[in-house]
Amino acid sequence: MAAISDSFTHLTIDARGVARLTLDRPEVHNAFDDALIKELNAHLERLHALAERSEVRVVVLGSDGKHFSAGADLNGMKRMVDFSFDDNLKDARELARLMQKLDALPCPTLCRVQGAAYGGAVGLAACCDVVIASDKARFCLSEVRIGLSPAVISPYVQRAIGPRQMRRYALTAEVIDAATAQALGLVHEVADGEALDARIDQMIDQLLAASPQAQRATKALLARIARDPDSDATVDATCRTISELRVSREGQEGLAAFFDKRPPAWQRMGGANGDQDGNTDNKESRS
């Protein structure tokens, strides 16, 4: 297992290609500051490259301690009181870069939420493909309470819960319990606290059963559809995606395995297989 530990985060990647990116500031409830954001951005750059090669199949975003994340760090916010506009703009752009990188990871992303997820932490959850939360989890777009706005995370949270609900919760800063978060679409599943990790592991197995190339292609296609659902170019992209996958190594292997009633190669290898660079030619590769 590969492992990288920084001051406020740690990253592990197991033999299956499951990466666990963990916030590790439990003494301040995993609150964000510029140092934590910098570490997360560096990890996400690394994970993006590994995911493109299928060396990483799934990324699990989580945190140590009682709470997922309390949002912005109070000490950092005190320092920012004296920041200029340009300094604040630079800080906001780093947070925006974090959200963009997480949202655009080529492989599936799974968010594990326990306890509180406030402010920017709601954005982290909204950027992930699957969110599983403890029944004790609580979410809050708390920014307006202190005269701010959930500005940088708003595109991702609004995409998850819709503009009508976003207006309510961004303006009221109400605390959202786990069941309501699931009803809104922010959370996919709610698990009993003691069963949370078992359910995370089950979802990892579910994601690993699929073709890594097909998952990358599907995730990229869905992002395009969200941006431009009705254009002729998007229709053409849907046709090209399925056609390219059908003639690709992994597509051929998946179909053959289905008809032969056997597991496909990427399952037998316990991880990645096939066209690891995301192309649909017949390159030989290993994870």
Side-chain angles (χ1 to χ4, degrees):
M1 178 183 289
I4 301 172
S5 292
D6 290 325
S7 298
F8 307 119
T9 59
H10 51 88
L11 172 65
T12 63
I13 304 173
D14 69 18
R16 301 172 298 166
V18 176
R20 294 180 183 267
L21 178 55
T22 305
L23 283 63
D24 188 15
R25 298 186 75 202
E27 70 281 0
V28 292
H29 307 306
N30 299 302
F32 292 12
D33 65 3
D34 52 355
L36 176 61
I37 291 170
K38 182 178 180 180
E39 288 184 13
L40 288 173
N41 274 327
H43 287 312
L44 290 172
E45 285 184 7
R46 182 179 299 110
L47 289 170
H48 192 285
L50 293 172
E52 287 283 6
R53 302 194 298 268
S54 292
E55 293 176 27
V56 162
R57 292 285 319 278
V58 177
V59 174
V60 182
L61 178 65
S63 60
D64 289 335
K66 182 179 179 181
H67 297 293
F68 178 66
S69 173
D73 180 78
L74 293 178
N75 290 324
M77 291 178 68
K78 286 179 182 178
R79 292 196 309 270
M80 290 175 66
V81 169
D82 297 322
F83 278 17
S84 68
F85 171 83
D86 287 340
D87 289 335
N88 273 281
L89 187 58
K90 180 180 178 181
D91 181 81
R93 283 176 171 160
E94 284 302 297
L95 179 60
R97 192 160 72 95
L98 168 59
M99 298 298 159
Q100 288 175 323
K101 285 182 178 296
L102 179 58
D103 186 64
L105 275 178
C107 65
T109 51
L110 173 58
C111 189
R112 175 191 183 275
V113 180
Q114 83 286 10
Y118 277 35
V122 182
L124 291 179
C127 287
C128 289
D129 300 316
V130 181
V131 181
I132 300 179
S134 161
D135 55 358
K136 300 296 192 297
R138 297 292 183 270
F139 300 82
C140 185
L141 296 168
S142 55
E143 289 85 351
V144 295
R145 289 183 186 170
I146 56 172
L148 303 178
S149 168
V152 172
I153 66 172
S154 61
Y156 308 99
V157 181
Q158 181 162 294
R159 182 184 61 191
I161 70 175
R164 188 66 174 161
Q165 298 292 1
M166 183 68 177
R167 285 192 180 194
R168 170 180 174 172
Y169 290 103
L171 296 175
T172 64
E174 294 171 79
V175 175
I176 306 167
D177 63 27
T180 303
Q182 184 178 25
L184 290 170
L186 180 62
V187 167
H188 293 91
E189 292 187 24
V190 176
D192 179 81
E194 295 182 359
L196 179 60
D197 287 324
R199 187 64 192 110
I200 292 290
D201 289 341
Q202 290 170 353
M203 184 58 69
I204 290 170
D205 289 341
Q206 186 77 28
L207 291 167
L208 289 175
S211 155
Q213 176 185 265
Q215 287 174 327
R216 289 194 303 273
T218 299
K219 190 167 178 178
L221 180 63
L222 293 177
R224 176 170 187 156
I225 291 170
R227 292 191 303 269
D228 187 20
D230 300 321
S231 72
D232 290 341
T234 295
V235 172
D236 184 65
T238 65
C239 297
R240 287 183 177 277
T241 296
I242 188 59
S243 299
E244 289 170 352
L245 288 172
R246 283 173 179 165
V247 300
S248 71
R249 181 180 294 276
E250 280 190 18
Q252 293 286 304
E253 166 61 15
L255 289 169
F258 176 79
F259 290 119
D260 293 344
K261 298 182 179 180
R262 59 171 174 80
W266 57 82
Q267 289 185 34
R268 298 199 306 271
M269 295 171 65
N273 182 60
D275 300 332
Q276 296 187 5
D277 60 359
N279 295 327
T280 52
D281 55 19
N282 291 329
K283 291 182 180 178
E284 188 75 19
S285 53
R286 294 287 186 270
S287 62

